Amino acid sequence: MTPLPHRFPGALFDAVASGGGGAEALGLLARAEHTRRLAAVYAVTDAARGAGGAVAREAERAWELLVEARRAAPGATDAVLTHPSAGPALLGLLTRLARPSEDAPPVHWFTALAAAAAVRAALPARVQWPVAGPRVALPSLGRAHFPAVRPGDHAELRVDAGGRATIGVRGAHAAGAVAVPRSPYATGDRWQGAHLLTTLETGAALLLDFLDPPSFPRAASRPDDLGPGEARRWAVEARRACRMLRTGHPEVYEELAAGPWLLVPLSGTGRGVVSGSSAETFGCIALSPPPATSVFAVTLAHEIQHNKFAAMLHLFDLFEAGDEALYYAPWRPDPRPLLGLFHGAYAHLGVAQFWGRRAGTEPDPALRAAAQTHFARWRSAARDATLDVLGSGRLTPLGERFAGRMLETLDALCRAPVPASALHHAESAARAHRTAWRNATGKPRTLPV
């Protein structure tokens, strides 16, 4: 499993920096993230060897199984390693291995990745690892339910010569073994897979899933499962949002269709529509149920931007580590460091582009007026934040080029005509946000602080 170098054409770099990039950019970024996962797999194995003992032995067995599975079925194994939950699991384990303590690092996450690869590759194997709770996950496939597990129990996966897999928990009290489907969308007796929301024109899947524990540790609460009715409602809204993107926002749809993409439902946020992405979960978006198709669509556009920017930061140093200066972000109630401001400015560039297109195509007068207001609001907000990024004094030459392309795009958006009423509402919303932020933080309007 040898990582390969990547070349990123300058024209494509500029296209991404301008807010787009399309399927070509998403494909290249996905390949780069795959290479990052391969490097993480080797780094975990090497660090575990340094730790020695049982940790080294378990990691070595997982490594050997992953190598064998990838030799037998490269695509199947890569689907496991590029699954969103694999990133936090590998990086979290690597961090734990780098800071030895009395607690044993959770190498079982690594073993579970190897076990899932054996299933998808139909590779005969027998794998054991300690369970952390009643739901035992095989990343990219799903999870089995063992309600009577006890501390110290071990899961056991068996894949026979015909590729049929079962997973059980060793112990007299445990329920019987569960058949493991090779399809990531299957659900059966005590087995739960992802919900397939829709399949896009390229064949890419848009999935709704509950990631295993390593992923989104700081996300708002997630439900353990969705009932059939709720899953159907998600599917209906997802298909409507995808149709909206396909007909009115073709480049965003291209990026979505370059997937697969995994959606993680959030509940109990208490703050309206909430969404988020993580630097190590490329291809994944966490979000609360959107109230309308346009909100679902713009949320996808927004979070695809965050995914792209996080992946670009894995390839390029766009700014240098420096002081702890905080900045006003027109979309947040709290001051943001440069990384957060840069991320948010890029995401809201995509939001502004989305509403600009809606403002020109929305047939309903009330919805068109709302789109015009959103467009005016977020083009100015993203431009102001981009100017602060450019003025930070911490950008590398590539960072200057990236933020400069952002500013060029936003300048063009700000020259687009909008009705005076939309400008008035947008400026009023901006002033109200600044006032509320200043009252809450005690900071002056002129930032950075």
Side-chain angles (χ1 to χ4, degrees):
M1 292 195 292
T2 305
L4 300 174
H6 298 276
R7 296 180 64 87
F8 209 102
L12 189 59
F13 180 95
D14 291 339
V16 173
S18 299
E24 182 183 3
L26 265 291
L28 199 160
L29 292 173
R31 292 192 295 275
E33 289 295 299
H34 169 245
T35 297
R36 181 178 172 85
R37 299 288 175 82
L38 292 179
V41 165
Y42 179 80
V44 164
T45 307
D46 189 57
R49 288 167 180 159
V55 168
R57 290 192 294 273
E58 185 177 356
E60 195 68 43
R61 286 192 294 267
W63 164 264
E64 290 171 357
L65 185 57
L66 278 167
V67 170
E68 193 175 354
R70 196 163 191 267
R71 188 179 296 123
T77 304
D78 291 345
V80 176
L81 295 180
T82 56
H83 189 262
S85 67
L90 291 168
L91 270 292
L93 179 54
L94 189 59
T95 300
R96 292 282 293 275
L97 287 166
R99 295 199 304 259
S101 66
E102 295 180 3
D103 297 329
V107 187
H108 60 275
W109 291 346
F110 194 30
T111 304
L113 286 173
V119 174
R120 295 191 73 140
L123 179 71
R126 182 176 177 179
V127 191
Q128 297 179 11
W129 67 97
V131 298
R135 298 185 187 276
V136 180
L138 288 173
S140 81
L141 287 170
R143 58 198 60 75
H145 188 209
F146 297 96
V149 297
R150 298 175 182 174
D153 285 346
H154 281 68
E156 182 176 71
L157 173 83
R158 297 190 183 200
V159 185
D160 67 17
R164 292 177 294 272
T166 59
I167 188 169
V169 172
R170 298 176 62 195
H173 61 280
V178 177
V180 179
R182 289 172 64 184
S183 166
Y185 320 136
T187 296
D189 184 31
R190 293 172 36 228
W191 178 265
Q192 179 189 28
H195 299 279
L196 177 62
L197 297 178
T198 188
T199 301
L200 305 177
E201 290 178 347
T202 57
L206 186 63
L207 303 169
L208 188 71
D209 197 10
F210 312 92
L211 296 185
D212 35 311
S215 300
F216 282 102
R218 291 191 294 258
S221 61
R222 302 189 297 272
D224 288 335
D225 194 7
L226 292 181
E230 186 66 16
R232 281 194 295 271
R233 283 191 288 274
W234 274 91
V236 168
E237 286 303 320
R239 288 193 290 269
R240 289 173 178 168
C242 289
R243 283 196 297 270
M244 178 176 285
L245 291 175
R246 186 178 66 247
T247 57
H249 313 268
E251 191 169 38
V252 178
Y253 182 79
E254 271 188 37
E255 294 173 350
L256 188 69
W261 287 87
L262 193 67
L263 306 186
V264 179
L266 303 179
S267 65
T269 63
R271 293 189 292 134
V273 178
V274 176
S275 65
S277 302
S278 167
E280 298 301 339
T281 57
F282 183 81
C284 184
I285 298 168
L287 72 165
S288 57
T293 301
S294 60
V295 177
F296 203 150
V298 74
T299 300
L300 293 175
H302 179 158
E303 297 299 340
I304 288 172
Q305 293 292 94
H306 278 303
N307 272 258
K308 286 192 296 184
F309 192 74
M312 292 292 285
L313 289 176
H314 288 160
L315 290 173
F316 304 106
D317 291 324
L318 299 184
F319 61 91
E320 298 172 350
D323 56 36
E324 298 181 357
L326 298 175
Y327 299 81
Y328 170 67
W331 45 82
R332 294 277 302 210
D334 54 335
R336 303 296 288 158
L338 182 61
L339 171 61
L341 187 72
F342 210 162
H343 243 296
Y346 185 69
H348 281 83
L349 163 59
V351 170
Q353 291 173 315
F354 176 93
W355 288 119
R357 289 186 290 267
R358 294 305 304 162
T361 59
E362 175 58 59
D364 182 274
L367 294 179
R368 184 168 61 251
Q372 291 165 342
T373 298
H374 290 316
F375 174 51
R377 170 84 169 94
W378 297 121
R379 68 182 184 178
S380 296
R383 184 179 185 277
D384 289 345
T386 301
L387 288 172
D388 280 344
V389 169
L390 283 163
S392 69
R394 291 170 50 192
L395 299 188
T396 64
L398 277 177
E400 292 276 357
R401 175 171 171 173
F402 194 96
R405 295 296 184 274
M406 288 174 58
L407 185 61
E408 290 173 3
T409 304
L410 288 161
D411 282 343
L413 293 179
C414 287
R415 289 193 293 269
V418 295
S421 59
L423 283 175
H424 172 73
H425 290 310
E427 290 168 357
S428 295
R431 283 194 300 271
H433 186 278
R434 283 195 298 265
T435 299
W437 184 90
R438 189 167 60 249
N439 292 338
T441 62
K443 302 294 183 182
R445 287 177 62 170
T446 54
L447 295 170
V449 297

